[in-house]
Amino acid sequence: MSTLQGNLPEPNLGRDLETADAGDGARGESQGRIIFRRFMKNKVAVAAIIIFLLILIFSISAIGLGPIPGWWHYSYRQLNAQLNQGAPTLTLWPFSLGEHPFGQDRIGKDYFALTMRGIQNSVLVMIVIGLFATVIGVVVGALAGYFRGWVDSVLMRITDIFIVIPVLVIGVIVGQTANGLNAFVLALLLGLVSWMVIARLVRSEFLALREREFVEAARVAGASDIRIIFRHILPNAIGVIIVSSTLLIASAILLETAISYLGFGIKSPDSSLGLLISSNQSAFTTRPWLFWWPAVFIVLLALCVNFIGDGLREAFDPRQQRFSLRHTKDQPVPEPDEPAETASVGRAAGS
C-alpha cells in the first residue's frame, strides 16, 4: 500500500495552473507566483484593488482607528457650530479642503469625519460577513456534496429553510436583536444568515469533482475523507468559491446599507454609510450633498470588490481565458478557397 500511495499522482490546482500557463514560461513556478502573475495581467482588477486600499487607508489615516489618532482635526462625535449653513467647503481649483470639505449635518457634526467613520464600519461589516459566511457555506456545501445521502438531505433542508426567507428580513431581525452592539458583532450575526447561496454552489461543485479520477486514486491510496475534501477537491473548487465570496462581499455592503437605512443596523453616535443616508433623508432637497458622499463611496466599494473578484477568478481558475481582440487580429487567415485544417497543416509543414 505504501508503494502504491507513493506512485499515485496528486492532481491539484497548482499543476493545472502550470499546464495552463506553460506557453508563457510558467512551468516550474510555484502556485503562488502563477496566481499572482495571472492576477497582475488583469489591469482592471489591479486598479480596483488599488482604489479599494486607497479608500480604506485614507479613511483610517484621516480620523484614526481606535487609540491611534488621525490627521483630521474633527471627530465624528464632535458637535460644531454651523458654518455657511453646513455647505461643503471643498474646492477643486484651486484645491482646498476648507473647514468642512463634505459639509455638516443638521446638528453641526463634520460630515467628512462621519463619512470616513462610515467607510471604516462598512468595510469591516462587508469583510467579516464575507469571510464568516464563506467559511460556513464552504463547510456545509463540502460536507453535503462529498458525503451525499442523509448528510446531504439534512444540510440542504436546513439551507432551504434559510434561503426561502428574504435576507433583508432576516437581517432586520438580526439587527433588531443586536441593537446597541458594535459593527463587528453585527457583522458576525449577519454572516450567520448569509451563507446559503455559496453553500449550494460549493455543493454542486463537489458533486461533480468527487467523481473525478484523482479522487478515486486518493481513495485507493488510503487517504482519509478529510484529506480528500481539503487537499484534493477544495483546491480544484477554489474558482467557484472565490467568485461566490466576492459577490457575497459586494452584496454585504448593500445589505448593511439597507439595514442601517431602515434603522436596524449601526446606531448613532457611531456611523456607517447606510446610516448617513437614513439620518439625512429629510434633507434630500435642501442639502443633497449629505447623500452624494455616502452614495459615491458605496458604489465605489461595491464595484471594486466585483472587479477584484473577476481578477481572482481568472487567476485561480486556469480554465478561464480572456478574449483578446488584438491576438485574434494577429492570427493568420486562410485563403477563401482553402479549408482551415489544410491551411494549418501547410503552415506547420513550412515551418
Side-chain angles (χ1 to χ4, degrees):
M1 180 63 70
S2 61
T3 304
L4 178 61
Q5 184 173 359
N7 294 331
L8 284 173
E10 291 189 3
N12 55 34
L13 183 63
R15 294 196 181 105
D16 291 343
L17 288 170
E18 291 177 4
T19 303
D21 284 350
D24 299 331
R27 189 176 300 276
E29 289 184 336
S30 65
Q31 178 180 347
R33 290 181 61 85
I34 295 172
I35 292 174
F36 177 77
R37 183 168 51 82
R38 287 170 64 92
F39 180 82
M40 295 302 294
K41 288 181 180 179
N42 192 321
K43 296 181 176 58
V44 176
V46 173
I49 197 170
I50 291 175
I51 294 174
F52 183 87
L53 291 176
L54 286 177
I55 293 174
L56 181 59
I57 294 173
F58 182 74
S59 66
I60 294 175
S61 65
I63 63 171
L65 184 64
I68 303 175
W71 52 264
W72 188 241
H73 48 275
Y74 287 115
S75 169
Y76 66 93
R77 299 175 182 267
Q78 180 180 347
L79 297 178
N80 310 286
Q82 287 277 358
L83 298 178
N84 194 21
Q85 297 182 346
T89 59
L90 175 66
T91 57
L92 297 180
W93 188 262
F95 180 78
S96 174
L97 291 177
E99 194 68 19
H100 301 285
F102 289 3
Q104 295 174 275
D105 64 3
R106 292 171 298 178
I107 59 177
K109 288 185 177 181
D110 180 67
Y111 212 62
F112 177 80
L114 285 170
T115 304
M116 294 301 104
R117 178 60 177 176
I119 292 174
Q120 292 181 10
N121 278 336
S122 295
V123 170
L124 174 64
V125 168
M126 66 190 292
I127 291 178
V128 172
I129 290 178
L131 294 179
F132 197 51
T134 297
V135 171
I136 297 176
V138 168
V139 172
V140 172
L143 295 177
Y146 181 80
F147 290 106
R148 299 188 297 184
W150 69 268
V151 177
D152 184 21
S153 299
V154 171
L155 292 178
M156 285 302 100
R157 296 302 76 78
I158 296 175
T159 304
D160 292 338
I161 293 174
F162 280 95
I163 207 169
V164 297
I165 305 175
V167 177
L168 184 59
V169 174
I170 301 178
V172 168
I173 297 174
V174 171
Q176 180 66 21
T177 304
N179 186 21
L181 299 180
N182 57 32
F184 181 78
V185 177
L186 176 64
L188 286 179
L189 294 176
L190 291 177
L192 288 174
V193 295
S194 304
W195 52 268
M196 294 80 70
V197 174
I198 191 172
R200 283 191 167 276
L201 292 174
V202 172
R203 171 184 175 270
S204 63
E205 193 73 8
F206 266 66
L207 286 174
L209 291 174
R210 75 183 303 275
E211 306 299 334
R212 300 285 293 274
E213 292 80 2
F214 65 89
V215 176
E216 293 296 332
R219 290 197 186 100
V220 172
S224 63
D225 291 333
I226 298 299
R227 178 176 175 81
I228 292 175
I229 290 174
F230 291 100
R231 179 65 178 85
H232 298 275
I233 301 181
L234 189 60
N236 288 276
I238 196 68
V240 172
I241 296 173
I242 290 294
V243 175
S244 303
S245 60
T246 50
L247 291 176
L248 181 62
I249 291 175
S251 62
I253 188 173
L254 302 179
L255 175 62
E256 184 276 327
T257 300
I259 294 175
S260 296
Y261 180 80
L262 295 174
F264 298 102
I266 298 173
K267 303 289 186 180
S268 183
D270 210 342
S271 177
S272 74
L273 297 178
L275 179 62
L276 292 177
I277 295 178
S278 175
S279 301
N280 300 282
Q281 56 182 331
S282 61
F284 179 75
T285 56
T286 57
R287 296 181 177 183
W289 59 83
L290 299 179
F291 292 83
W292 294 344
W293 300 112
V296 165
F297 285 109
I298 288 173
V299 172
L300 278 177
L301 292 174
L303 287 178
C304 286
V305 173
N306 278 315
F307 288 140
I308 293 170
D310 289 339
L312 289 174
R313 178 194 60 189
E314 294 180 0
F316 276 96
D317 191 350
R319 295 169 295 182
Q320 298 291 331
Q321 298 292 335
R322 288 177 292 171
F323 175 76
S324 175
L325 183 60
R326 178 174 59 84
H327 291 165
T328 303
K329 290 180 178 180
D330 292 341
Q331 294 297 324
V333 180
E335 296 296 330
D337 56 345
E338 183 181 11
E341 293 84 355
T342 305
S344 178
V345 173
R347 287 194 299 271
S351 61

